Amino acid sequence: MAKTSVDLLIFDLDGTLIESKWDIAKSVNLTLVDLGLPERPLDEIFGFVGDGVKKLLRLAVGEQNQERFDEALNVFRKHYLAHCLDRTVFYPGVEPMLEHFSRKQKAVATNKSIEYTRVILNGLGAHHFPVVVGGDNGFGLKPEPGMLLHVIETVGASKDRTVLVGDSTNDINGGHNAGIRVCAVGYGMGNREKMVACKQDWLIERPEELMELFV
C-alpha cells in the first residue's frame, strides 16, 4: 500500500501517546476521599476521561454533589500534579515512532489542561513537540476544531498534508470538523465501535504502524 505524504502530525495525548489512566484514576479517588465522597471503580473513572478535567470531575463527584465541584477541582489539581508521572509513560512503540518522524512537524492537541500536559511532556519528552495546545488555552475542546486549526496555522501546514492521531470520537469528529484526516488508534481508551462509526481514515493497533502509513 502506498504511503501518504504528510508534513504535520498532530497527536492527542491521553490514550494516544501516553498510558495515563492509572494516575488519573488514583488522583480522582484521592480527591473524592478528601471530599468525604465514596471512591469510584477504576473502570468507571477510565470512562470519564477524554473531555477535559472539568467534565471528568463533574462526573466523578456525581449529580448530587455539584456544589462541591470547585473544591474538587482544586483538590484534584494538588493530587494530580503530585502523581501525574507515577505510572504514566509513553505507550510501547511511541518513542521509536517519534524518532522516526524527527524531521516532520509534530504537535500535541489535547483536551487536558495545559498545566498537566506540560508537566507530563517535560517528564517524558517535550522536545518532540514544538507546538502544544491544551484544553484551557482558549481554543475550545475537541470535537470543536479550534485547537487543531490553531496548530495548523501556527505551523503553516496545509490541511491536506496534516493528520490527527487520536483514540476517541472527539478526535475523529474534531479532525473532520477541522477539515483534516484522522488516524484512530485501537490501543487507547476510546470505544472502538463508536470510533469506527465516526469513520476515521485509518485505524492502527500499534504506534509503530504510523511509520508504515506516512512518509
Side-chain angles (χ1 to χ4, degrees):
M1 184 174 63
K3 293 185 177 182
T4 299
S5 296
V6 298
D7 294 329
L8 170 61
L9 291 166
I10 306 176
F11 295 90
D12 175 52
L13 187 63
D14 298 280
T16 300
L17 291 173
I18 62 171
E19 170 66 282
S20 56
K21 63 184 181 183
W22 304 105
D23 290 339
I24 293 172
K26 175 180 181 178
S27 300
V28 167
N29 274 334
L30 286 171
T31 299
L32 294 175
V33 169
D34 280 3
L35 268 58
L37 299 174
E39 294 184 59
R40 297 236 180 214
L42 296 183
D43 284 343
E44 187 176 26
I45 298 173
F46 298 159
F48 295 162
V49 175
D51 293 313
V53 67
K54 291 183 178 180
K55 180 74 174 291
L56 167 70
L57 288 174
R58 286 198 184 280
L59 292 169
V61 300
E63 284 292 330
Q64 69 278 23
N65 298 301
Q66 289 302 300
E67 75 280 357
R68 311 288 302 277
F69 168 72
D70 289 336
E71 182 184 2
L73 199 60
N74 290 328
V75 174
F76 176 83
R77 178 179 179 273
K78 174 188 70 174
H79 285 305
Y80 194 47
L81 286 174
H83 295 288
C84 66
L85 284 169
D86 286 359
R87 296 178 64 180
T88 294
V89 293
F90 281 136
Y91 281 106
V94 163
E95 289 188 272
M97 176 272 294
L98 293 174
E99 291 295 340
H100 175 82
F101 290 116
S102 61
R103 297 189 179 185
K104 296 291 183 185
Q105 295 273 16
K106 296 184 294 298
V108 168
T110 174
N111 285 350
K112 197 183 197 78
S113 166
I114 192 64
E115 180 180 29
Y116 308 137
T117 299
R118 292 285 186 195
V119 171
I120 291 169
L121 288 178
N122 286 340
L124 298 182
H127 64 283
H128 293 294
F129 309 104
V131 180
V132 179
V133 182
D136 49 0
N137 276 144
F139 301 104
L141 301 178
K142 295 172 290 183
E144 296 176 30
M147 69 170 67
L148 303 174
L149 295 174
H150 172 73
V151 170
I152 293 166
E153 181 179 353
T154 299
V155 171
S158 62
K159 290 184 180 182
D160 62 348
R161 294 180 66 87
T162 297
V163 171
L164 172 66
V165 184
D167 76 315
S168 74
T169 58
N170 284 337
D171 295 311
I172 299 171
N173 291 331
H176 291 163
N177 290 339
I180 61 176
R181 288 172 289 182
V182 182
C183 180
V185 307
Y187 55 80
M189 291 185 280
N191 180 291
R192 180 184 294 269
E193 289 185 7
K194 291 181 179 179
M195 285 196 296
V196 170
C198 292
K199 298 182 179 179
Q200 77 287 335
D201 298 276
W202 300 273
L203 175 65
I204 61 172
E205 302 300 338
R206 298 177 298 111
E208 298 97 323
E209 291 179 55
L210 291 172
M211 298 185 282
E212 303 165 13
L213 292 175
F214 304 116
V215 62

